[in-house]
Amino acid sequence: MWAVELQVMLVVGLLVMLQVQQSLQLRSSHPMHGVVDKINENAGPYIGLVMTFPTEELALIDSTFFVPSSEIPWVDLAGRRFNIGTIKGVDVIYVMTGEQTVNAGITVQILLDTFDIIGTVHYGIAGSSNDSLYIGDVSVPNYVAYTGSWTWKEFKSAEESMTELKFGNFNFPKKGENLLAMIDFTPQQLYSIGKPMEEVFWLPIDPKLFNIASELQDVKLQQCVNETYCLPETPKVVYGLKGSTADIYLDNAAYRKFLFKAFNVSTVDEESAAIVMTSLSNGVPCIVFRGVSDYAGGEGLLSATSLTYLAAMNALSVAVEFIGLFGEEVAIHDH
């Protein structure tokens, strides 16, 4: 009896090992199969560094923090370039996903399927929906949500929750009825390893990574765009806020105010929830750093290319310091 149980356990163990090995390889007929095998054999495990927007990648290139591998500096897969190298002596593969959730989710899945990744670090720009979060600040959220999934209700439907968006409340100059009626915000279906599907609205940031990041409050952030123009407030790193993701570029004061009031979200972007959700599904810890580049339609400084670059550079600065700390933690654990 015990011998049979032992045999079953060994078979299950071998199957799990086989699945893990296959997840780190391309199919044998893929032209990049051999190259990817060498990347996984030569170094790693890697931190996957993910950005979505060309200005964010430009900030990394200009910073010179990333040192490309002298052996295989990059590989192209599914139209994306995966760059292999180090940051602060830590093995890193970085990739720009492209904008919005579909691009972000696809790219992160390729990253995690193909390479030996121990954590996903995402940095980028965002709009602020919180009047206390200013341009140049960097938010390190502990939760993100996809707020672009709706049930659009019939006209004259009964209100069921405080978080419903009733369009008539935004009629101008007075509130009233509106044929667009109202929308309910719906949760997402999260599939993850070893668990049944669950419906979730808030996606959690990995608590261990968040605790490491909390040590970075004193990171020096850029305040001046050039020699003649500086931001009126000294940028800061802010922890424990909530972020909102939707396939929408938000530039509307009323909706900005609604999101903050209904969900207490402080930043709005188009990718973070997809990156976090894909990482959660694969059992890989993930953390997000978003630099404020505009006020999402609220009052304040107008968005500009220079402010976008400054916000990207500030988010990158915090992400780079995090990678250094995370690398130290991994090295200590390995020893």
Side-chain angles (χ1 to χ4, degrees):
M1 181 70 177
W2 287 105
V4 172
E5 289 183 355
L6 180 60
Q7 288 179 339
V8 171
M9 290 172 63
L10 287 172
V11 170
V12 171
L14 288 170
L15 287 172
V16 170
M17 289 176 63
L18 181 61
Q19 287 176 347
V20 170
Q21 290 174 350
Q22 287 177 340
S23 71
L24 299 177
Q25 298 174 355
L26 295 173
R27 64 181 187 275
S28 58
S29 61
H30 195 286
M32 292 292 105
H33 174 77
V35 174
V36 167
D37 281 354
K38 286 183 180 178
I39 292 169
N40 285 324
E41 291 167 3
N42 291 348
Y46 297 91
I47 290 176
L49 181 62
V50 178
M51 73 286 297
T52 66
F53 186 65
T55 302
E56 298 160 356
E57 182 180 28
L58 180 62
L60 178 61
I61 294 170
D62 289 348
S63 73
T64 70
F65 285 130
F66 181 78
V67 180
S69 167
S70 58
E71 189 168 349
I72 306 175
W74 52 264
V75 60
D76 287 342
L77 299 169
R80 283 91 170 166
R81 175 153 295 185
F82 295 81
N83 301 271
I84 298 89
T86 60
I87 290 177
K88 287 183 169 286
V90 179
D91 291 329
V92 169
I93 296 178
Y94 93 75
V95 60
M96 185 179 73
T97 67
E99 296 177 54
Q100 302 195 331
T101 56
V102 172
N103 275 325
I106 288 172
T107 307
V108 174
Q109 189 63 55
I110 295 169
L111 174 72
L112 301 182
D113 274 346
T114 309
F115 302 102
D116 186 5
I117 302 297
I118 54 171
T120 308
V121 177
H122 170 45
Y123 78 92
I125 61 173
S128 169
S129 54
N130 182 339
D131 289 339
S132 298
L133 200 61
Y134 302 106
I135 286 179
D137 290 349
V138 176
S139 174
V140 188
N142 56 356
Y143 288 95
V144 296
Y146 182 68
T147 55
S149 180
W150 304 337
T151 296
W152 208 308
K153 304 183 75 173
E154 293 183 4
F155 184 58
K156 297 287 188 180
S157 295
E159 291 188 44
E160 296 177 359
S161 71
M162 294 295 292
T163 56
E164 287 177 331
L165 174 59
K166 187 175 182 180
F167 289 97
N169 290 341
F170 297 89
N171 285 358
F172 185 81
K174 294 191 300 184
K175 294 181 181 180
E177 297 294 338
N178 191 303
L179 291 176
L180 289 175
M182 67 181 76
I183 57 173
D184 272 337
F185 292 79
T186 56
Q188 301 301 293
Q189 294 181 342
L190 175 62
Y191 292 84
S192 52
I193 298 172
K195 297 180 182 179
M197 184 277 289
E198 56 181 327
E199 291 193 342
V200 297
F201 188 78
W202 293 108
L203 299 166
I205 298 300
D206 183 82
K208 291 183 180 179
L209 300 195
F210 186 82
N211 287 339
I212 295 172
S214 66
E215 302 176 29
L216 302 172
Q217 297 181 25
D218 296 328
V219 174
K220 185 175 177 57
L221 301 178
Q222 186 175 325
Q223 183 174 2
C224 295
V225 175
N226 51 45
E227 294 181 357
T228 61
Y229 179 69
C230 293
L231 298 171
E233 302 285 342
T234 302
K236 59 189 179 298
V237 184
V238 184
Y239 296 88
L241 302 178
K242 293 179 178 179
S244 162
T245 294
D247 290 315
I248 302 165
Y249 179 80
L250 180 55
D251 189 23
N252 182 276
Y255 190 59
R256 171 189 188 268
K257 184 176 180 180
F258 169 83
L259 284 176
F260 181 74
K261 183 178 180 181
F263 300 110
N264 197 29
V265 296
S266 294
T267 55
V268 293
D269 65 60
E270 299 177 59
E271 299 88 13
S272 291
I275 293 168
V276 173
M277 191 172 194
T278 306
S279 297
L280 284 171
S281 288
N282 288 272
V284 176
C286 180
I287 193 163
V288 173
F289 304 96
R290 283 281 183 167
V292 175
S293 60
D294 62 85
Y295 291 116
E299 295 180 359
L301 294 171
L302 297 175
S303 61
T305 302
S306 56
L307 297 178
T308 298
Y309 182 83
L310 182 147
M313 186 60 78
N314 282 352
L316 170 66
S317 296
V318 184
V320 164
E321 292 303 317
F322 171 84
I323 288 171
L325 281 180
F326 187 39
E328 292 175 8
E329 291 278 340
V330 172
I332 292 171
H333 182 268
D334 287 345
H335 284 300

